[in-house]
Amino acid sequence: MFWNKRKNQEMKQDESAAPKTMTDLLLRLKDHPDFSHYRHSRGSFQCWISFFNSLVNVESVHRDVLPFLYDEHVHSLSDIQERIPVEKVEQTTDLKTVQSKLMEGSIIIQEREDSPKCLIVPTVLRESRQVEPPEVETSVFGPKESFVEALDTNISLMRKHIPIPQFTIEQMRIGKISNTRVCIAYIDGVASKENVNTVRQRLQDLELDHLTDTSALSQLVADNSHSPFPQFIDTERPDRTVNALYEGKVAVLVDGSPNALMLPTTIIEFFIAFDDYFISWYIATFTRLLRLFAVAFSVFSSPMYVAVLTYHYQLIPIDLLGSLITSRSVVPFSPMAEALVLELMIELLREAGARLPTKVGQTIGIVGGIVIGTASVQAGLTSNVLLILIGMSALAAFTTPSYRMGTTIRFIRFPFILAAQLWGMLGIALCFAYFVSHLLKQTSLGRPYIEPIYPLRLTDLRDSFIRLPNTSQPERPMLLRPEDAGRFNKKRAKQKVGKQKTDIDE
Amino acid sequence: MKKSLVIIMMLMLLSGCIEDNIIDDILMAEAEGYDYIGNNQVIGTITTPNYAQGGVSGSGGGGLPATASMMSSATTVTYDGRSLAENLQPKGQKKIKVGKLRIMLFNEALLKHGFEKTIHFRNQDPEVGRDMYLAMVDGSTKDLLTATYQTAIPISRYVYDLIFQNQQQNFPKNNLSTFLYSYYGRYADPMMPIIKREKDHIVLTGIMFFKHDKYAGRINGQQKAFIFKTLVENFKFGFYDYTFQQNEHAVLENVSSSRQYVVKNGNSATPDIFATIRITGYVRQGSPLLKTKDYNSTIKRGMEKDLEKQIKKMVAGFQKSGIDPIELGQIVRSYTRHFDGASWSDRYPNARFHVKTKINIVETGVSQPR
Amino acid sequence: MKQFRINETHQVSPVYALFIIKGMQVGVSVFSFQRIVSRDSEQDAWIPVMVMGLSTLVIMWIMLRLLKNEQAYGMPDLFAMHRRFFGPWIGNLFSAVIIAYEFCIVIIFMRAYIELLQMWVFPRLPVLSFTAIFCLIVWYIVMGGFRTITGTFLLSFIYLLPLFLVNSFSVTEAHFNNLLPLFDHSPAELARSFIKLSPCYLGFESLLFFYPFLKRPQQAEKWCYYGLLTSLSVYVTTTVLGTVYFSQGELQTLIWPLLDFWKSIHFPLFDRFEYIGIVYWLTVLIPNISMGVWIVSRGIKQSAPVIKQKYALVPVLLLLILICVVMKERSQIDWLNTTVSRVGLCIIYIYIPFLLFWQWILKKKEGMTHEKELSHHHDADAAQRLHRR
């Protein structure tokens, strides 16, 4: 196609515009206000020093680099390299390396201005915010740390939890222009080799100019990017990431993003809050089942309302008929129209709440909930019953721990409502069948997406809708095909719990 | 992907032509009444509850008129076995639907005439549930359905609740499902309760029995209903009033009642049917003259004798008129190998019915009699 | 040389044999067979149901034998078998008959469900758009391959569990003495019921087509039997339910007794369970039709390897839509139904045992020639065959 051709040509031009020699590079950078390039002429050694003020740690430059240039024993670049108390100092003549190091915050030292031979002293300024408690995935129990934008800080947060040499981090650069650092983290010997290879392969095959965040990355490496269902979980909690790594998953971190991507993921994990592991398994099971019910309720309540009230009046129990009809009787619209109006209203409220600053957002919630809700009922635009249903289903959708999944759930309600209007419950059933077959075909990193259900794996079911106690989960999830399947020795775990008592009071 | 989406959208547009039944845009017939006026003609009445009548809660004085349908009852003359909803449609400003029908009432004349067509039509109709009540009305059904009563709830619910409540107690369980069971069943005859309007009340007065689809007799009062119920089902909440001497009563409240049948010589000309009825209950309304010892000896024995007598009388009556609401034929069939069904109707009146009742009085109240 | 084994990524675990076989056997006929069965054998209707269920176990044994033996020679499915047994021409002819038979089953199932919908839920349901949308979903599933189809079978099994629990509601209103006296009918009466029953249990012969897709077929055998026993239990319980909940006379007036029973069930949140039940039954229909269509399109591919399965699929679905739209009258469907069930009966009880017999004869013959060849020590073909084994 002709436009493809043109794009390629543009790319070529870009490459040709790249600086060819050292002088060329310096000439181009000279005009930048934060670029320092000067000749160091005092002392025994004379050289050219260049760096970006905004990128280097100026304090460290003044303390650890510049004083050593005055040393009388310094006569060449190698001398500096020997004396400077900074690690990973290197000499190179490769222009590309020089350029990228310079742009990352290293100091370049040259003997002559036009010489291609450079000494690179890394004095990178690590400026990032403090490690703070998580904001999106808040929890009542458990650690209160979250990832920050700096990749190295994030890695250190994880290393603290996994103090073994098998914890492997592979780094690569993605993005033609941005050259963003991306890390693959996994525990060697636990994570499946196949999964790691797939992740590496997919990341290497990426074709893009820049990368800003893991969530963008997750869509790029997804198995089916046309699906409304998210295929990988991204989390801001290091503890959750580490837990996933211990299970045998692979994590991907991107420099500049406070999220880690965990691969592969099943749909059920989107409904698991990390808190569940910190509370008694009865209660965890209860809340998980509650969430499952909430999802079903959230997806089906308003479509069922539309279907039943439009087509299947026989289904309504006689005692409910009265209140339904009375509340509907002033509404001039069909059930679908009123459901759509209300659903849209809730979506608007959510969107407005998400865009506004926190303090104003709360006000919007109150205004939306009380004023618009009651007013629309009084104005006869919607019925009371539907207001309750929609309000509850919105609430139910927000119980999903993953915000990403929550949005999907709210989204798929709309096709269901349309289908309900067309063919009542039959429409809902057809729509459901479509989504189920979609999920059946879906994969995450080549692994089945709805895994413990299909393929049916009883060992993985123990930690899905329900959570059994830790002692009965001696294996890592089969989904991940871990190299080392066992978490611990089941027999010994049983022994530790204690022997069965022989009798009362014995 | 895009192509299939387009196809789906097109098909959905194509398919937007199913008739809808939006609940506030239809008239839901909840009760149907049939009065026979001779010559295969009936007066049919339907009632639809008027939900919007009492003002709309939450509309907050917006002054909006309710859009819910308003008709509350309508009457027409038609031939026997015709769908009333269709026939009355010209009187309804919205579609009349029978999906939530709860009661069907018939007057005595129609039942004497036979209502096979009506009941057959009901059985064919997939729209109606099987848990609605059928009842005979003493007097005119139209009168009963359109009169005003002390209670403000819709007439259909009033009658439904009345029958439902009493079937928990002395009256035998009977709804469309059980009616059809015995109506189409081979060696059984159906029955239905009788209701009657008494000024601003409705009263459940008794049970009527069919010979196939025609009226064939009735029993009146709770007492008889209790006796009948002991024969047809196991039940829990009933009460039996026993008069042990002039103006002296003891009321047995039923805790459980169970029945058991044994049949001998099922294929002979005179089959023997042995029924055992076990009743456990307590006496709450005993006479002050009685002592606990009396209950366990004389009263108990007297009650057993009395019940046996009554039951025998009732069954003999059934046999005489050739109706079988207790489904004795069904019982004999199940106890007999190669049951001779063809001659059963001739043998039934000659069947020998033996009954034994065993009453167990568990307690007599919290206060000690003098 | 042709590839005889299916790639393991397309295969499913042995357990799924249970779900597939049960799913193929339990169809729309569950709603209606009680009337037909009890017409002749009345309260003893459960006996022919049970006997037929047990007889399917025997047929299953024959089928498994047949397929297991066939593994040594090539792809263990019916289409490959036909080609090997009868040569490419006659074999393909037989395959064509089988394909037509499977296709007719799909049509009957589809039409029966549409009839149910039109009778109970939407009298004015447009057949064209319903079948078209339905076939789109089926197309979407079948394009996902055998694994996806198996997934729908598993899910439909899970969905149906609560539906069959609902049947226990009948216990409170059951007349258990309707079942008495036991064994009160002559063998002739029972046999008549037995023949009428045949369309119910049909469907398990699909094992002949999907057998190569099972991992570790040796282990799958027991699951095949369990699948048959599951559907046996479904049919026996629904027969008993029909007998104890309805009187014999009433049962004869009802076309779909199970739905009439569901009609009287109500929960606090909704009345009239049968509406939900019918719509719910879509989850049974989808795997069933997907499997049928998969078999038909795979049959076309196997018989004429030029045509890819994904291209064969589209005309098959279009034909399905067309026939469903054209066939409007009840009598046509009834005719097709009786014909196909008779053919099915023949296939199961005559043709499959015959195939095993034929296979045995071929083996004997081959063994004899083989011995001759061995004595000559020269035939390369024999060596190759040995090698392949």
Side-chain angles (χ1 to χ4, degrees), chain A residues 309-311 313-314 316 318-319 321-322 324-326 328-331 334-335 377-380 384 422-423, chain B residues 12 15 18-24 26 28 30 51 56 58-59 64 66-68 97-100 102 127 157:
Chain A
L309 264 68
T310 315
Y311 294 106
Y313 70 99
Q314 297 99 327
I316 307 166
I318 206 104
D319 298 325
L321 260 181
L324 273 179
I325 292 179
T326 356
R328 271 271 316 154
S329 62
V330 287
V331 181
S334 68
V377 168
Q378 286 189 342
N384 278 324
L422 279 178
W423 283 347
Chain B
M12 287 197 157
S15 62
I18 297 181
E19 61 158 351
D20 55 7
N21 299 313
I22 298 174
I23 54 160
D24 53 331
I26 51 172
M28 275 176 243
E30 287 201 343
Y51 289 112
V56 180
S59 72
L64 294 158
T67 54
K97 302 295 265 183
V98 290
K100 298 259 53 150
R102 322 182 80 188
E127 210 177 339
R157 191 166 304 178

Side-chain angles (χ1 to χ4, degrees), chain A residues 138-244:
Chain A
T138 50
S139 70
V140 183
F141 311 105
K144 304 272 188 295
E145 280 176 340
S146 72
F147 284 132
V148 293
E149 279 75 5
L151 184 59
D152 302 284
T153 319
N154 291 350
I155 289 172
S156 80
L157 282 175
M158 291 199 297
R159 279 244 188 249
K160 265 187 258 168
H161 284 94
I162 316 177
I164 44 168
Q166 284 93 325
F167 176 47
T168 317
I169 287 177
E170 287 176 21
Q171 184 177 308
M172 54 175 74
R173 303 233 169 213
I174 287 177
K176 276 225 168 80
I177 299 173
S178 71
N179 251 339
T180 315
R181 285 164 72 204
V182 173
C183 284
I184 307 172
Y186 58 92
I187 300 179
D188 198 22
V190 174
S192 145
K193 285 259 157 47
E194 204 187 327
N195 284 346
V196 176
N197 287 339
T198 321
V199 173
R200 199 183 295 134
Q201 189 66 40
R202 286 202 189 165
L203 288 176
Q204 278 165 357
D205 290 352
L206 276 181
E207 182 74 24
L208 74 171
D209 60 343
H210 79 290
L211 181 70
T212 38
D213 195 62
T214 39
S215 33
L217 185 72
S218 85
Q219 290 168 42
L220 289 165
V221 295
D223 297 44
N224 177 4
S225 49
H226 297 297
S227 169
F229 294 92
Q231 284 147 51
F232 307 119
I233 281 193
D234 48 350
T235 178
E236 57 167 359
R237 299 179 60 115
D239 50 342
R240 189 171 187 183
T241 318
V242 164
N243 193 57

Side-chain angles (χ1 to χ4, degrees), chain B residues 6-45:
Chain B
V6 171
I7 294 170
I8 290 174
M9 292 307 284
M10 265 167 56
L11 286 169
M12 287 197 157
L13 289 176
L14 267 177
S15 62
C17 51
I18 297 181
E19 61 158 351
D20 55 7
N21 299 313
I22 298 174
I23 54 160
D24 53 331
D25 290 348
I26 51 172
L27 289 163
M28 275 176 243
E30 287 201 343
E32 281 187 353
Y34 295 85
D35 290 312
Y36 189 62
I37 50 170
N39 203 15
N40 284 335
Q41 299 264 299
V42 292
I43 299 178
T45 311

